[in-house]
Amino acid sequence: MNEVTYLFGAGASCKALPIVKDIPTKLSILSSSLDEKINEAFRDDTYHKVYSNLKTLKKEYYEEIDSTINWLRDESFKHASIDTFAKKLWLKEEYKKLFKLKMGLSLFFTIEQAMKAPDPRYDVFFASIIEDLKILPPNIKILSWNYDVQLELAFSEFINEHSFPFLFNRLGVSSKSYNFDKDNGFCVYKLNGTTGLVHRGNYNYKFFIENLKEGINHNFIKDIAETFYSAIH
């Protein structure tokens, strides 16, 4: 059996998530929603649902999220890409700001992915490589440049299991900061890690939210707000 490695690069999730150049605009829309300066055109958008639920939480939770998204929006417009800004912070050893950036992106992508179905091309990919849901093809490895969870969300629809810890284990997801790879052949290595994970060192982690199955509701907002606030502080 031939060994096969797939590389998922920029644009692999573009039918569900904004590509790098569109992130500043999306952050701006979310920021406007959180500031309740949202235009009538967006009044029925899911972003308004985010705002409505956030305002029912503790004031400090809301204010921390609002200020972080505003900061991330402003900095993303100043730089060629959010990745460029992250690299600059790392080079300057401004690690607190880098952590804040990672947490802000995790919040942003968690909200974005809770709003819609995953990119349908992942669905096609899994349907083309899987012969038996009990055993993923051991000769296949995946390298992903992306830090979203589109791959995991698409796979969840095949097995009707939506818990991220379960999905990460089943797919053997790993990066330099965490390792779910059970050394059973099939595995996914994320070159840039995963948004939505709060790293606590020594491979300890906490997911922003256990699953996205229920979409955006009060419990979803409460969970990600509490996790975000505790991580920042």
Side-chain angles (χ1 to χ4, degrees):
M1 185 180 294
N2 293 329
E3 296 291 321
V4 179
T5 299
Y6 291 91
L7 175 62
F8 291 171
S13 304
C14 69
K15 293 189 177 181
L17 295 173
I19 58 178
V20 171
K21 72 179 183 64
D22 294 330
I23 287 177
T25 300
K26 280 288 191 177
L27 283 168
S28 184
I29 295 172
L30 177 57
S31 173
S32 294
S33 174
L34 296 180
D35 290 339
E36 206 184 15
K37 296 173 183 175
I38 193 165
N39 296 325
E40 285 301 320
F42 297 111
R43 183 58 64 183
D44 295 325
D45 191 90
T46 307
Y47 281 133
H48 187 62
K49 189 186 292 186
V50 175
Y51 165 79
S52 300
N53 280 293
L54 269 174
K55 289 297 284 184
T56 68
L57 303 181
K58 292 181 179 179
K59 183 179 180 181
E60 57 266 34
Y61 288 1
Y62 172 78
E63 290 179 343
E64 187 72 64
I65 289 173
D66 189 33
S67 66
T68 299
I69 293 298
N70 286 339
W71 170 76
L72 200 57
R73 173 205 61 198
D74 293 342
E75 294 296 340
S76 66
F77 276 116
K78 293 177 185 177
H79 295 85
S81 72
I82 202 72
D83 294 338
T84 301
F85 179 43
K87 181 65 177 294
K88 181 189 288 187
L89 293 177
W90 181 78
L91 289 170
K92 295 169 68 176
E93 299 183 358
E94 295 183 6
Y95 299 125
K96 286 187 177 180
K97 287 185 178 180
L98 181 59
F99 182 75
K100 181 180 179 181
L101 180 150
K102 290 180 178 180
M103 291 300 97
L105 274 182
S106 285
L107 182 72
F108 171 68
F109 274 105
T110 299
I111 290 171
E112 282 287 320
Q113 291 177 106
M115 288 169 58
K116 63 197 75 172
D119 190 313
R121 292 173 296 176
Y122 289 102
D123 191 52
V124 176
F125 173 74
F126 278 118
S128 69
I129 67 168
I130 296 175
E131 298 295 336
D132 183 348
L133 284 173
K134 295 178 182 178
I135 305 173
L136 292 173
N139 64 315
I140 289 181
K141 309 289 188 293
I142 297 173
L143 286 176
S144 179
W145 191 257
N146 302 312
Y147 33 65
D148 56 53
V149 289
Q150 291 289 290
L151 192 73
E152 294 86 343
L153 290 173
F155 183 64
S156 73
E157 297 299 326
F158 280 85
I159 61 173
N160 295 321
E161 173 59 62
H162 303 280
S163 162
F164 282 129
F166 181 90
L167 293 168
F168 273 54
N169 274 287
R170 185 71 189 278
L171 291 169
V173 179
S174 63
S175 81
K176 62 183 179 181
S177 302
Y178 53 87
N179 186 6
F180 294 84
D181 184 2
K182 301 303 182 183
D183 195 29
N184 60 353
F186 185 96
C187 64
V188 179
Y189 188 86
K190 294 194 170 184
L191 298 166
N192 290 316
T194 300
T195 55
L197 272 179
V198 180
H199 300 143
R200 294 175 169 175
N202 297 322
Y203 290 96
N204 290 321
Y205 64 90
K206 176 179 174 60
F207 286 86
F208 253 53
I209 193 165
E210 288 291 302
N211 70 77
L212 299 180
K213 181 62 176 175
E214 301 303 319
I216 294 176
N217 55 30
H218 179 75
N219 288 334
F220 168 87
I221 295 297
K222 180 175 181 293
D223 288 345
I224 64 171
E226 289 178 349
T227 301
F228 177 83
Y229 187 83
S230 63
I232 292 293
H233 293 277

